[in-house]
Amino acid sequence: MKRNLLLGKESHEVELLHQDGVTTLVWEGESHSIDILELEPNCYSILLGGRSVEVRLDPAKAPDSDTHAYRALLYDGAYEFALVDPRRALLVGAAAAGAGGGILSSPMPGKVVKLLVQPGDSVQEGQTLLVMEAMKMQNELKTTTAGTVTIIHVQVGATVETGTPLITVVAPEP
Amino acid sequence: MKRNLLLGKESHEVELLHQDGVTTLVWEGESHSIDILELEPNCYSILLGGRSVEVRLDPAKAPDSDTHAYRALLYDGAYEFALVDPRRALLVGAAAAGAGGGILSSPMPGKVVKLLVQPGDSVQEGQTLLVMEAMKMQNELKTTTAGTVTIIHVQVGATVETGTPLITVVAPEP
Amino acid sequence: MSVTKILIANRGEIAIRVIRTCREMGIPTVAVYSEADRGALHVRMADEAYCIGPAPARESYLVLEKILDVCRRSGADAVHPGYGFLSENAVAARAFEAAGITFIGPRPESIMSMGSKTAARVVAIAAGCPVVPGIQETMSDEDLLVASQKIGFPVMLKAAMGGGGKGMRLVHKPEEFTSALARARGEALSSFGDDSVYVEKAIVQPRHIEIQIFGDTHGNHVYLHERECSVQRRHQKVIEEAPSPHVTPEMRKAMGEAALKVAKAVDYVGAGTVEFLADAERNFYFLELNTRLQVEHPVTEWITGLDLVKWQILVARGERLPMTQEEIPLNGWAMECRIYAEDPDKNFMPSPGKITFLRTPSGRNVRDDSGVYEGAEVPMFYDPMISKLSTWGPTRMEAIERMRAALGEYQIGGIRHNITFHKALMEHEPFREGALHTGLLDKPFWKKRGQGPDLKFAVACALLHELETEQRRAAQPAGNDDGKPDAWKHWGRFNRI
Amino acid sequence: MSVTKILIANRGEIAIRVIRTCREMGIPTVAVYSEADRGALHVRMADEAYCIGPAPARESYLVLEKILDVCRRSGADAVHPGYGFLSENAVAARAFEAAGITFIGPRPESIMSMGSKTAARVVAIAAGCPVVPGIQETMSDEDLLVASQKIGFPVMLKAAMGGGGKGMRLVHKPEEFTSALARARGEALSSFGDDSVYVEKAIVQPRHIEIQIFGDTHGNHVYLHERECSVQRRHQKVIEEAPSPHVTPEMRKAMGEAALKVAKAVDYVGAGTVEFLADAERNFYFLELNTRLQVEHPVTEWITGLDLVKWQILVARGERLPMTQEEIPLNGWAMECRIYAEDPDKNFMPSPGKITFLRTPSGRNVRDDSGVYEGAEVPMFYDPMISKLSTWGPTRMEAIERMRAALGEYQIGGIRHNITFHKALMEHEPFREGALHTGLLDKPFWKKRGQGPDLKFAVACALLHELETEQRRAAQPAGNDDGKPDAWKHWGRFNRI
């Protein structure tokens, strides 16, 4: 089982092997023999050279179905990363490159309480486009793309889920 | 969904209906409209006429595959009963009637440490046939059938699971 | 007054908290719930439960008539309001009284007189309790600027009917005053429906210290020592402790007695909290009297060994306070961390959703007041607080170390939360030294953790997870991804019979 | 002595208990586990873990050489033995000492001198501590009968090297003496490899009251008050509490001082417990000195606010006791219920197996020291204790009501357990009145509950379960019955790649 490990913009090759009753993790070229056990759903216990580490794995939403994002809780703290099947990695890269501009989508379930732009408006990176309410808090959502607003996908008062597209911003031709 | 409710030697007909968005429990001829929800695996919340009751259902081992035994934990205490599909009830009854005498089987996982009878021995109801060890405790297993020991299924030192047959006792012809 | 069956007009952890005391006292409980809360823990734990409308609080938990209706249907003869919702609503308190239902809270007159911050200031001044120098009188914006210059800048603008930091503004210079006042009035109007704003002298690096008070219907009043709640973010308390590392025995006595002056002035009945600001010289100034049980009451329960909800019920029944001032214990030190469904890595954005796993800490002197369970939905409609974790130790440092260890045991999945943030706070030197002030978190001490040395353990598990997912998909195409049956899905299936 | 990394030579709840204190103190921990315990909670929580052999304890947890080997491999410089296993093994204590490893327990000489009950009686008598009238000298069976008649019947026969009720026999009349002695010797020989039996006068309806003691390496000794453990079944403690409802301040002081006489006589270091029998007239008699931390130490932690494992570690490091006798607090009341995997409805038969669900109680002053988790296997090889639930209250009755409510919240599925039994005990009048004696449970107060009025709720859920099972079977023939993936099954699948 080979995967590309994505950490921000870095990518590393990692592998889990199981032969003759021994499980091996190949990590940055080095092989480690590990004892790994799923004790509860998505909760693992690992022993590696005496060290005992417990990992709670929380599969997270990913930008596309081929990239699997994970959040892992350890006693030590939380880690975030993604795994891609190397056979799919090229496709993923191509898809990401194809997307000019961006869609601002909802980072949480909530209610749209204010729209601050209209189609045709020019916007700067970091500009607030919309205000959402969830859990008695108002949250300003900002664009990470500078460009022109082309589509407003929602109306004020709408209740949206995590990942619902809200506003499309098209970056100017480079 | 109709079932026969078995309580010891009693049997009652019970039914759960779902029509037009309303769930109804038919209990001793009376219909109760209930709000029932599975909140966690095998854990239910029920509202019935204002009362709120939480039930943890623990499916238990049953004597045959058509009789489903349950143990239910409520704040109030624990209940034990079994359900049988009425279409299967006749079969179950027939099977039970056919079994002359009894097999003493293991009520828990453990280790056989002492056998107190041999094939051919006559035994009385309540007589200890075997001693098992589990969790640092020695437990005497007694027969509920008087009669003759015909088969010893295990050896001293054997580790057995719950439900493993241990000793067969055949009751005398009536 | 009779208290034989209690309706809890609230939800979440505080409803559970009240149910626990009722169970110990053998009093049956009635829950109310919105449509979003059918599966909530308080519905599961109460003896009875009634739906009171759609998810938004103003259509359910805040509708007095619906609560009164459930009292009638269930035969509840008393209402515990918890905090928030109807707890500081004098109209509600009066309506319950009129309906012959015991309101487990102060008299409506006390709620009323403390509802306006400016009116409360007047009461405190009259009672001889020190207040922050300021102007509570109504005057024109121009006169307010002149009066503010007399107090001396910086000053703080506050909404008279406000709370929770809304309508609050720190003004450093007279030039900024007029525009800041306009904005504060706007916020006050939109948040509280009243644009009254008053001016207080701004205390430099103030500490927020409050006194727990209790009164009975026989005119007795006691204080249960102080809590310090200086660790705040956007004027919201994050960590509370009792006692305060700043308070000496003399200061405790002086603050307690000042608080009781206000309590006696309004003939206070039940549990209340007098909030003060304190400066480095241990001067302290009255801020307000909260006429309800506070979120942070567990730290007081730890150091006194008392059950404040039980006391509320005893007082509501007309009994005398169980102890005199001299008998109130003060043992050791307690900490409380508020566990929120929010993402500290993304500017504390709320994170409602389904809790996919939950492991709560335990052991010596660890208390978790939670309102959720594994599999529960945290709705987007209410407060993001899902639990309050508190610890006790013989010393402040032992309480902190216990909290640090307990936070390490606490595991919540499916939603983002602030447990790692709290753990970092427990290791933050100024916090450990007790050098607290309300601006402690303004400078971001918290930074998103990088990838540490244990990354490979996490990745190994994810690889195994990928492998299993592939195998499961191959084996049973109808199965769902996480391998766990979803209770709501099953329910949906059942509904479609 | 150096204590920088602690190996915990134990399993289950006591291993977790020690890990929690180590985490608070910032000391890394090393777990050891048998093959049956790879998935056990103590392995998950420790910083390091090493397998020490097959499931049976005599091939793993009891093998001194394997523990020493893991010390060497992990670099652990100290061993905490917990209770049971190697905790009262003088040979082990000596071997650790010889290997330069700090044994967190008393000196080997103390363990040795208290290991034989008859030798311990001699020490106690010499130290001036009252003992039950009896005969600890070796003599012929005939002479023993004559001596017993002098003491007066009834008498109690006890195995000199015994414990846990084995080899114990109550003899009412001289006629029964000889045959009872023969059977007691037989049991003693088979259980402890030594047929020495001694005679004590039988106390009528005795109460079991014990004193927690502590000593340091500088010759200081204190007592941390008493615990009462009279509620027993087959000489096994079921419920413990502190303080004792039978003990007056005068009796507490007298018992504490008597216990310290024994402690000083053997120059006791670390945590120990002096067990006494007491009669209705408040006479008390030395039984034995347990040279380890007791299962029931949490009730002492509740009433003193102290961490006894922390004290053990401080003493092992050569530090002085942190408090003098006068400084030891005594606040309120604490109860502990031992939660066992056993079936009270079937003569308390052990019930090992998989824990399919687990919900532990929480809230004010509730402590659950558990060694398991949801999904854990309770192995058939070890003690059936899975958790210790303890509560505290300002009064005995409040501690009892809190325990009753906490037991109501405690839900364990998949195995049988004694939670409902404990709940019934909390409602049992003689228990509530504090009229305790070691024969309290001899008359069965506990009867299997009949079907109560809530049966229909339980049946409705089972009907829904049947319906869902049918639908699931129809939809995905490969799924397993309970809808939950079984971690071990998946692992099996992975192994078969």
Side-chain angles (χ1 to χ4, degrees), chain C residues 15-91:
Chain C
I16 311 301
R17 163 72 190 85
V18 175
I19 289 172
R20 286 197 168 118
T21 288
C22 290
R23 283 185 169 183
E24 288 178 19
M25 296 180 75
I27 302 171
T29 52
V30 179
V32 290
Y33 64 95
S34 76
E35 285 161 12
D37 274 343
R38 167 63 183 89
L41 193 56
H42 72 288
V43 176
R44 298 173 60 170
M45 284 184 69
D47 298 300
E48 299 183 32
Y50 297 84
C51 184
I52 50 165
R58 63 186 166 283
E59 298 172 44
S60 50
Y61 296 105
L62 286 169
V63 184
L64 173 61
E65 193 39 61
K66 289 183 177 178
I67 308 285
L68 280 166
D69 181 52
V70 176
C71 286
R72 279 187 288 266
R73 286 163 67 194
S74 65
D77 56 2
V79 167
H80 195 298
Y83 49 73
F85 294 143
L86 298 176
S87 63
E88 295 180 281
N89 183 324
V91 175

Side-chain angles (χ1 to χ4, degrees), chain C residues 39 44 60 83 97 120 128 158 170 203 208 230 249 256 268 293 317 353 355 370 374 398 473 477:
Chain C
R44 298 173 60 170
S60 50
Y83 49 73
E97 208 175 72
K158 291 186 176 178
L170 180 63
I203 309 289
H208 177 115
S230 299
Y268 197 82
L293 194 69
R317 280 182 175 161
I355 294 180
S370 168
E374 188 170 304
E398 282 166 290
R473 283 219 178 107

Side-chain angles (χ1 to χ4, degrees), chain B residues 56-137:
Chain B
R56 288 273 185 192
L57 206 61
D58 213 358
K61 292 250 158 122
D64 63 273
S65 66
D66 285 322
T67 308
H68 299 155
Y70 291 97
R71 186 177 164 89
L73 292 179
L74 283 70
Y75 182 66
D76 180 34
Y79 293 85
E80 282 182 31
F81 56 90
L83 295 180
V84 191
D85 189 328
R87 293 164 295 181
R88 304 270 188 175
L90 281 175
L91 288 169
V92 170
I103 296 178
L104 178 67
S105 51
S106 177
M108 60 188 167
K111 193 172 153 186
V112 177
V113 293
K114 216 177 272 181
L115 279 167
L116 301 168
V117 289
Q118 295 187 333
D121 285 2
S122 289
V123 293
Q124 300 305 313
E125 194 183 323
Q127 184 176 335
T128 302
L129 305 191
L130 176 146
V131 180
M132 273 184 63
E133 189 178 281
M135 299 184 135
K136 296 167 67 186
M137 297 272 286

